[in-house]
């Protein structure tokens, strides 16, 4: 039992579970030929306050003045990522991603790729590794892309790539709240059209025990559209001025991409409105779902 409440218990159980899987792969001599991915689907559940964990901290450049020659003076400070689970801020959507293939591993800080990707890229990556056709027919397309070109690009360099040398996988990344397109990323820029209405400003959270909603009464429409430069401010505390040429250029490009993207949307049945199917839950002794860590 962890001294850090439910969050600590979850981390300990996750660590134990992954350890069991890795050990079994090694026992079967499959570890070196396995594709291993470890990631998360969202940031912390801040509506549980301290029990939810943290979004982590990022370095941000703060301009603190100018020197005698008029050059800007910069100080680097650490800020937590804004937002949490169920929100379109980086604290809700930026998650750890570790991948290990026979030819590439993101162990520690040796192999770090900062190119933005999405969880939708996992499926085509696995299919690419297996060398199978992953597009079922010509009437449908995938939003995800294989990550293998990123690894090839990295392995072709002798040293760790800098941000400017990173390969671009997605021209645009579209972030939804429910079925509402709320944010779009283009490179290091991120536009926000709708933002959550927080109940607790300190924790940047919605009512306790729930998630921020997506309906018209639960979000704030940003007018003008908010634009962040995530290279300069990954914590999303300083917006790009609406009067700057960069703002006008990037927002115009994003709005064109938004229109083109929305024209490709094919409505489908909402899976969240279906009844749960417990027999699909990952459970060690269904339907009780109770495990004893002394047993394999």
């Amino acid at each position: 039992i962890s001294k850090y409440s439910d969050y600590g218990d979850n981390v300990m159980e996750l660590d134990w579970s992954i350890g069991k899987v890795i050990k079994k792969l090694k026992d079967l001599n499959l570890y070196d030929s396995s594709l291993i991915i470890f990631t998360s689907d969202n940031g912390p559940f801040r509506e549980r306050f301290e029990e939810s964990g943290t979004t982590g901290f990022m370095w941000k450049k703060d301009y603190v003045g100018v020197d005698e020659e008029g050059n800007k003076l910069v100080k680097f400070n650490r800020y937590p990522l804004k937002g949490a689970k169920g929100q379109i801020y980086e604290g809700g959507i930026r998650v750890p991603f570790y991948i290990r293939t026979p030819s590439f591993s993101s162990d520690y800080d040796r192999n770090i790729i900062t190119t933005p990707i999405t969880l939708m890229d996992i499926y085509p990556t696995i299919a690419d590794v297996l060398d199978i056709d992953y597009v079922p027919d010509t009437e449908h397309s995938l939003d995800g892309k294989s990550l293998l070109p990123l690894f090839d690009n990295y392995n072709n360099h002798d040293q760790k790539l800098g941000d400017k040398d990173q390969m671009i996988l997605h021209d645009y990344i579209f972030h939804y709240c429910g079925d509402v397109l709320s944010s779009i990323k283009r490179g290091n820029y991120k536009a926000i059209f709708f933002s959550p209405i927080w109940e607790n400003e300190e924790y940047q959270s919605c009512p306790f025990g729930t998630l921020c909603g997506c309906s018209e009464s639960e979000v704030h429409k940003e007018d003008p559209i908010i634009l962040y430069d995530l290279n300069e401010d990954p914590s999303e505390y300083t917006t790009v001025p609406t009067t700057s040429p960069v703002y006008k250029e990037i927002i115009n490009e994003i709005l064109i991409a938004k229109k083109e993207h929305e024209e490709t949307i094919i409505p489908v049945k909402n899976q969240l409105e279906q009844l749960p199917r417990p027999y699909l839950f990952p459970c060690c002794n269904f339907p009780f779902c109770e495990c004893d860590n002394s047993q394999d």
Side-chain angles (χ1 to χ4, degrees), residues 29-35 100-102 129:
N29 293 319
L30 296 174
Y31 179 73
D32 290 331
S33 60
S34 295
L35 169 66
R100 184 186 187 279
T101 74
V129 169

Side-chain angles (χ1 to χ4, degrees), residues 35 37 97 99 101 117-136 141-149 151 169-170:
L35 169 66
I37 296 175
F97 188 93
I99 185 167
T101 74
I117 64 173
T118 79
L119 296 187
M120 293 181 291
D121 299 327
I122 294 178
Y123 170 60
T125 300
I126 294 175
D128 206 359
V129 169
L130 298 176
D131 194 24
I132 62 175
D133 184 9
Y134 49 84
V135 180
S141 61
L142 296 178
D143 292 311
K145 296 183 179 182
S146 172
L147 301 177
L148 294 194
F151 308 149
L169 189 66
H170 295 277

Side-chain angles (χ1 to χ4, degrees), residues 120-188:
M120 293 181 291
D121 299 327
I122 294 178
Y123 170 60
T125 300
I126 294 175
D128 206 359
V129 169
L130 298 176
D131 194 24
I132 62 175
D133 184 9
Y134 49 84
V135 180
D137 55 59
T138 57
E139 294 182 2
H140 298 82
S141 61
L142 296 178
D143 292 311
K145 296 183 179 182
S146 172
L147 301 177
L148 294 194
L150 291 182
F151 308 149
D152 293 338
N153 184 57
Y154 185 97
N155 290 332
N156 288 333
H157 292 72
D158 294 331
Q159 299 179 349
K160 187 172 73 173
L161 296 172
D163 287 343
K164 294 182 179 180
D165 299 319
Q166 296 286 351
M167 176 181 175
I168 296 175
L169 189 66
H170 295 277
D171 293 327
Y172 296 91
I173 296 179
F174 304 91
H175 297 289
Y176 281 79
C177 180
D179 60 359
V180 179
L181 181 53
S182 301
S183 175
I184 298 178
K185 281 181 183 172
R186 178 199 174 284
N188 55 292

Side-chain angles (χ1 to χ4, degrees), residues 41-48 52 83-87 92 177-178 196-199 204-215 218-219 272:
D41 57 344
N42 48 249
F45 187 18
R46 294 299 295 271
E47 282 72 20
R48 292 286 297 272
S52 67
K85 176 180 179 178
Q87 302 179 28
C177 180
I197 298 176
W198 293 327
E199 180 179 89
Q204 300 177 345
S205 62
C206 292
F208 179 80
T210 66
L211 291 176
C212 294
C214 307
S215 65
E218 297 171 305
V219 297
L272 296 178

